[in-house]
Amino acid sequence: MRTVRAFAFDAYGTLFDVHSVVAECRKVTPEAEALSTLWRAKQLEYTWLRALMGRYEDFWSVTDAALRFATRRLNLRLDPAQHARLLEAYLRLEAYPEIPKMVEALRGYPLAVLSNGSPRMLEAVVEHTGLKPHFAHVISVDAVRSYKPSPGVYALGPQRLGVPREEIVFVSSNSFDVIGAKAFGYRVCWVNRAGAPLDELGMAPDATVSRLDELPKALGL
Amino acid sequence: MRTVRAFAFDAYGTLFDVHSVVAECRKVTPEAEALSTLWRAKQLEYTWLRALMGRYEDFWSVTDAALRFATRRLNLRLDPAQHARLLEAYLRLEAYPEIPKMVEALRGYPLAVLSNGSPRMLEAVVEHTGLKPHFAHVISVDAVRSYKPSPGVYALGPQRLGVPREEIVFVSSNSFDVIGAKAFGYRVCWVNRAGAPLDELGMAPDATVSRLDELPKALGL
């Protein structure tokens, strides 16, 4: 097994809880869970479709469009201020509570965020959560105008970290991202908080944890 | 407006009712609707993810994998024969009942099927439904080893029909397919049977119908 020399983390769902938008959704509808879930599903779907069509728009625009679709489908009539407040919840997501413990245990390793988020969105959320000092690199797919799981996106990790892909542990809670990162050639750890089944795409992570602070032990560090 | 010289139809959900697998699902679970819906959602998701990763496998394999995932997530334990019977339902989907009337009204125009389906799956279902004599071309994405909405897939239509894209009407019930076809440059008709909202991807069809036999009138033919 190659030495681990660096870590790259997915952002949304991995470091930051996307369902912390549920609280904001509750202010506009009793169907807050349904809105949050549909919004997230469409957000991902739109990234895949735009990447496949070669019609990139940044993640802020995609997240906005996904919210418009979700509210229309659920027959919610939001005024522009309500819509804006929901969208802005993405700039103030909560970080998972075990992160300080994980960061402490990984002291000495360069840590990166590698995310679909636009540079502005990522900057805002790492600042808001106080994680900024711990991540040497905050890498947005925007640099290549495509989305995960496109290999060109994952290639940004080794390029920016200056470390070969096999020596970087890529950490994600999103099954499709785990598979995309593995297909690219990272060493991969899946944060499977909900005990979900892995997607059936012919690829499996090297390690699986249920919380981020289990990472060092799961990797034998 | 350019003359209409040919038609290309999506297969699954457009000519053939994918939820006719529900009857088969009912034989294995009381949650037949949930199984059918999750199976279909994962089937599409896996086509997008495989196309983006550059890891094409044909639609039979993807449909098989999506069924494995869906049954695991719903905690259904199917024996291999039950699994095979569900999968084979894709070879015997029902055609929508208004198709004979539509085919009659479009007599004289070359008609094509342009589908994610593998050549074997498409051959089986056009044969089973008796539609084979009406479609001059049955075109599978397998020729380019990618999936909708990749532009390379849509390019197969003008190539095989020998007609410029602007003079082909592309017909689909799937919102993402409507948008992909429009982005490519077809004239596009959306068969919106359920009155669903259009996906928010910055693209709209030229015409919308609720049944296939409304097609000639909607296009002013």
Side-chain angles (χ1 to χ4, degrees), chain A residues 23-40:
Chain A
E24 208 57 48
C25 292
R26 258 186 220 114
K27 297 179 188 166
V28 300
T29 175
E31 295 182 284
E33 290 284 350
L35 175 57
S36 172
T37 302
L38 180 57
W39 183 9
R40 173 67 173 162

Side-chain angles (χ1 to χ4, degrees), chain A residues 42 45-46 48-53 55 65 68-69 72-73 146-151 176 179-180 183 197-203, chain B residues 42 45-46 48-53 55 65 68-69 72-73 146-151 176 179-180 183 197-203:
Chain A
K42 280 286 161 178
E45 185 180 318
Y46 289 1
W48 301 328
L49 296 173
R50 285 200 169 275
L52 266 178
M53 290 193 289
R55 301 225 168 202
R68 283 201 308 277
F69 180 88
R72 274 172 57 219
R73 175 127 113 207
S146 189
Y147 283 109
K148 297 174 176 183
S150 170
F176 79 93
I179 287 160
L198 187 72
D199 273 301
E200 294 274 353
L201 288 158
M203 215 69 65
Chain B
K42 280 286 161 181
E45 184 180 320
Y46 289 0
W48 301 327
L49 295 173
R50 284 200 168 275
L52 266 178
M53 290 193 289
R55 301 226 168 200
R68 283 201 307 277
F69 180 88
R72 273 172 58 219
R73 174 127 113 207
S146 190
Y147 284 109
K148 298 174 177 182
S150 171
F176 80 93
I179 287 161
L198 187 71
D199 273 300
E200 293 274 353
L201 289 158
M203 214 69 64

Side-chain angles (χ1 to χ4, degrees), chain B:
Chain B
M1 186 67 84
R2 301 281 286 265
T3 316
V4 171
R5 289 181 52 206
F7 288 81
F9 293 82
D10 170 54
Y12 302 112
T14 302
L15 296 173
F16 311 115
D17 186 353
V18 288
H19 292 289
S20 50
V21 300
V22 174
E24 208 57 46
C25 292
R26 258 186 220 114
K27 296 180 188 165
V28 300
T29 174
E31 295 182 282
E33 291 282 351
L35 175 58
S36 172
T37 301
L38 180 58
W39 183 10
R40 173 66 173 161
K42 280 286 161 181
Q43 181 194 47
L44 288 176
E45 184 180 320
Y46 289 0
T47 61
W48 301 327
L49 295 173
R50 284 200 168 275
L52 266 178
M53 290 193 289
R55 301 226 168 200
Y56 178 84
E57 290 199 2
D58 81 12
F59 201 60
W60 183 254
S61 163
V62 163
T63 303
D64 184 11
L67 177 59
R68 283 201 307 277
F69 180 88
T71 52
R72 273 172 58 219
R73 174 127 113 207
L74 297 174
N75 288 312
L76 301 174
R77 291 177 199 285
L78 305 189
D79 64 41
Q82 288 175 313
H83 183 94
R85 268 196 301 277
L86 274 173
L87 198 51
E88 283 159 16
Y90 261 86
L91 308 177
R92 296 183 307 271
L93 297 175
E94 290 160 30
Y96 285 100
E98 73 271 22
I99 291 179
K101 199 175 155 196
M102 175 198 77
V103 163
E104 180 59 30
L106 300 180
R107 190 192 290 265
Y109 291 99
L111 308 185
V113 175
L114 198 173
S115 165
N116 276 342
S118 71
R120 189 181 74 92
M121 291 172 80
L122 293 175
E123 189 61 32
V125 77
V126 297
E127 187 77 65
H128 168 76
T129 52
L131 293 184
K132 196 172 175 182
H134 303 295
F135 288 86
H137 305 270
V138 178
I139 309 167
S140 165
V141 300
D142 197 64
V144 292
R145 296 178 64 79
S146 190
Y147 284 109
K148 298 174 177 182
S150 171
V153 162
Y154 295 110
L156 291 167
Q159 283 164 28
R160 298 285 176 87
L161 284 157
V163 171
R165 60 186 82 180
E166 308 82 5
E167 299 180 357
I168 301 173
V169 178
F170 189 91
V171 182
S172 181
S173 66
N174 294 295
S175 177
F176 80 93
D177 191 22
V178 162
I179 287 161
K182 187 69 195 164
F184 174 73
Y186 286 109
R187 192 160 160 187
V188 177
C189 183
W190 184 22
V191 188
N192 186 9
R193 299 177 195 281
L198 187 71
D199 273 300
E200 293 274 353
L201 289 158
M203 214 69 64
D206 300 284
T208 301
V209 297
S210 57
R211 296 163 43 110
L212 287 165
D213 53 356
E214 297 163 7
L215 207 49
K217 194 178 162 199
L219 296 165
L221 300 179

